[in-house]
Amino acid sequence: MATDIPMTPQLEQIDGEIQDNFRALANGFQKLDKIKDPNRQSKQLEELTGKMRECKRLIKEFDREIKEEENKNSPEVNKQLNERKQSLIKELNSYVALRKTYMSSLGNKRVELFDMGAGASDPTAEDNIQMASTMNNQELIDAGKKQMDETDQAIQRSKQVVEQTMEVGAQTAGTLKGQTDQMGRIVNDLDTIQFSIKKASQLVKEIGRQVATDKCIMLFLLLIVCGVIAVIIVKTCLCRL
């Protein structure tokens, strides 16, 4: 499919290879409608799965080339190239949905989902989806796109839950930080109180020593006074004699 988006020769080559694979996938699924033998259907699906893996590899290579040329291109060209990449991913996802639907029609109860990597989703078939043998190619593509839209909505809901969880985590971290700061202030206050108690104990001891010293001085003065009185009494008695 021709495109008016300006591309480097390498991007044009990759885009062309992807389109060749898409045409091969479209033809392959059309042929699959005409195959009645389950064994041949399984073999055809294996070949188509290989084509899908090749498309996945080419899309990743397309993305790498876009990133390498990003600084050389204008913003508008980069936007167009990224839109082109998303278009390729969606078209590949529609074929992935077709594969899952055909696998379900073959009676597989559990089918390993095709890993699409970054930028793509793994669609799941609805329980009431029509059997592939009763649907044409366009109906199958529409069903695949519908499943992709539902998957995108589920991813968006998951992102909202993650954002809410991160917000609650941030609030919890803020609360814990506030409590930690409060505990630090309490520890500092306890240190101050302990220091004050220690100083008060030292002051009480000093006062006690001063009181003991004062008592000794008073006792010594009392003894002196008593001695003076005794001397006076003795002299008085001698004088009378």
Side-chain angles (χ1 to χ4, degrees):
M1 180 174 62
T3 175
D4 296 332
I5 303 174
M7 297 183 185
T8 63
Q10 182 67 15
L11 281 175
E12 289 181 354
Q13 180 181 350
I14 296 172
D15 186 77
E17 291 180 11
I18 294 173
Q19 293 307 314
D20 290 341
N21 278 284
F22 281 165
R23 283 191 289 272
L25 285 170
N27 294 331
F29 279 111
Q30 288 177 355
K31 291 179 181 178
L32 198 59
D33 285 332
K34 302 175 182 179
I35 298 175
K36 303 302 181 182
D37 183 23
N39 292 329
R40 290 180 59 195
Q41 285 183 340
S42 297
K43 185 177 179 180
Q44 179 73 1
L45 282 173
E46 289 178 3
E47 294 178 359
L48 294 174
T49 300
K51 294 285 185 183
M52 291 184 222
R53 291 198 179 99
E54 177 64 13
C55 287
K56 173 188 171 182
R57 184 189 67 78
L58 290 170
I59 290 174
K60 286 185 176 181
E61 189 173 342
F62 189 87
D63 183 50
R64 283 194 296 269
E65 287 292 329
I66 291 176
K67 291 178 180 178
E68 289 179 0
E69 298 293 327
E70 187 174 7
N71 294 331
K72 302 177 183 178
N73 296 329
S74 65
E76 181 62 27
V77 172
N78 287 329
K79 180 182 177 182
Q80 292 177 349
L81 289 173
N82 280 293
E83 288 175 351
R84 176 61 175 169
K85 180 188 71 174
Q86 293 299 324
S87 174
L88 295 173
I89 290 173
K90 287 185 178 180
E91 187 170 355
L92 178 56
N93 271 337
S94 67
Y95 288 116
V96 173
L98 281 175
R99 172 186 176 272
K100 180 64 182 291
T101 303
Y102 276 103
M103 293 294 289
S104 297
S105 71
L106 290 174
N108 293 303
K109 302 303 181 181
R110 290 185 63 87
V111 182
E112 182 181 358
L113 294 178
F114 186 76
D115 180 20
M116 291 303 304
S121 59
D122 290 335
T124 55
E126 296 180 354
D127 293 336
N128 60 347
I129 196 167
Q130 301 180 44
M131 298 297 290
S133 59
T134 63
M135 300 172 67
N136 59 35
N137 196 39
Q138 185 60 42
E139 289 174 339
L140 290 170
I141 292 175
D142 292 341
K145 289 182 178 179
K146 179 180 178 182
Q147 293 173 27
M148 287 170 55
D149 292 339
E150 293 175 353
T151 303
D152 290 340
Q153 293 175 3
I155 292 173
Q156 188 63 33
R157 290 193 296 270
S158 299
K159 287 182 178 179
Q160 293 176 354
V161 172
V162 171
E163 291 174 355
Q164 293 173 356
T165 303
M166 292 177 65
E167 183 178 353
V168 172
Q171 293 176 353
T172 303
T175 302
L176 288 175
K177 186 178 184 300
Q179 293 177 349
T180 301
D181 294 340
Q182 185 177 4
M183 289 295 294
R185 290 192 296 269
I186 292 173
V187 171
N188 292 334
D189 291 341
L190 289 175
D191 291 340
T192 302
I193 292 171
Q194 185 177 5
F195 177 76
S196 300
I197 292 173
K198 185 176 180 180
K199 294 292 291 183
S201 299
Q202 292 177 352
L203 183 59
V204 168
K205 289 180 181 179
E206 291 178 359
I207 292 173
R209 285 195 295 268
Q210 291 178 358
V211 169
T213 302
D214 292 343
K215 285 183 178 180
C216 291
I217 293 172
M218 290 179 66
L219 180 60
F220 182 71
L221 291 174
L222 179 61
L223 290 174
I224 292 174
V225 171
C226 291
V228 171
I229 293 173
V231 170
I232 294 171
I233 293 172
V234 170
K235 285 187 177 181
T236 302
C237 292
L238 291 174
C239 289
R240 288 180 181 178
L241 293 175

